Amino acid sequence: MFDNITLNDYNFGFQLHQSQFLIDSLYPNVTFHLDCNNHFHIYKDQSYISQEELIFYIHIFVSNIMFRNIQNTTDFSMLHIYHQFINMFGNVEDLMKSIDKIYILLKYRYTRRKCEIDPEYEKNKHIHKYLPSIKTTAYTSVMMKPRN
């Protein structure tokens, strides 16, 4: 968490930039995905979690990690990142808004392949199986910011 963050990469006057900052800050511990039916999914350490669980995780676990790190660092840029994160996401309603806006980023900024029907589908026509396949490039579904 909080790896490769440069605050100058974001314009915090825009909500989508705040959502991108949230994504980048939590990566790789928390990732966000859209499946082929445009359903929004959140994963923490490869396990699905709900939005409420994410909020709890950020407000309890991430805040404890930041608190310990703040006490043990003299890196001004990291302290500034933590301060920005706390100011933006310390309020549950503001955090919920940013999580909701992640859907827009996933839908329009990041590349996904269309759903592909599972080859086993022909054998089991009564079972609807779809394989969401997410293209991994510099823009990935796990939401790393694009690298030049």
Side-chain angles (χ1 to χ4, degrees):
M1 275 187 289
F2 300 101
D3 296 330
N4 301 317
I5 302 292
T6 304
L7 291 179
N8 290 335
D9 290 344
Y10 310 94
N11 182 341
F12 294 117
F14 292 94
Q15 289 180 337
L16 291 181
H17 283 250
Q18 293 173 15
S19 295
Q20 186 67 55
F21 176 63
L22 177 63
I23 291 164
D24 294 340
S25 296
L26 298 176
Y27 181 82
N29 301 71
V30 176
T31 59
F32 304 86
H33 302 270
L34 276 184
D35 67 15
C36 59
N37 296 316
N38 286 332
H39 296 133
F40 182 50
H41 302 282
I42 305 167
Y43 294 91
K44 182 178 78 66
D45 301 321
Q46 309 299 323
S47 298
Y48 173 79
I49 61 170
S50 67
Q51 285 189 352
E52 292 83 12
E53 290 170 308
L54 176 61
I55 292 167
F56 180 81
Y57 174 74
I58 290 170
H59 275 243
I60 302 302
F61 295 104
V62 174
S63 66
N64 286 336
I65 291 168
M66 288 190 312
F67 182 72
R68 280 193 308 259
N69 290 346
I70 286 171
Q71 292 180 355
N72 298 324
T73 189
T74 57
D75 181 358
F76 180 74
S77 63
M78 186 55 74
L79 292 172
H80 194 60
I81 290 168
Y82 290 152
H83 178 73
Q84 189 69 38
F85 190 89
I86 292 166
N87 282 342
M88 268 196 278
F89 308 122
N91 180 299
V92 171
E93 286 79 23
D94 293 339
L95 179 55
M96 289 174 67
K97 285 179 191 176
S98 290
I99 293 168
D100 288 341
K101 302 297 184 245
I102 289 171
Y103 174 82
I104 296 170
L105 287 170
L106 289 171
K107 188 169 182 182
Y108 295 105
R109 182 173 185 182
Y110 296 90
T111 305
R112 293 178 299 131
R113 292 188 200 131
K114 297 193 185 293
C115 288
E116 299 171 5
I117 297 176
D118 186 337
E120 293 295 312
Y121 177 77
E122 290 301 317
K123 295 178 185 173
N124 302 310
K125 288 188 178 186
H126 63 284
I127 301 172
H128 299 284
K129 293 183 179 180
Y130 291 93
L131 296 175
S133 180
I134 301 171
K135 183 177 180 181
T136 54
T137 63
Y139 294 88
T140 67
S141 64
V142 292
M143 304 300 290
M144 289 180 66
K145 57 188 168 198
R147 304 286 182 219
N148 294 331

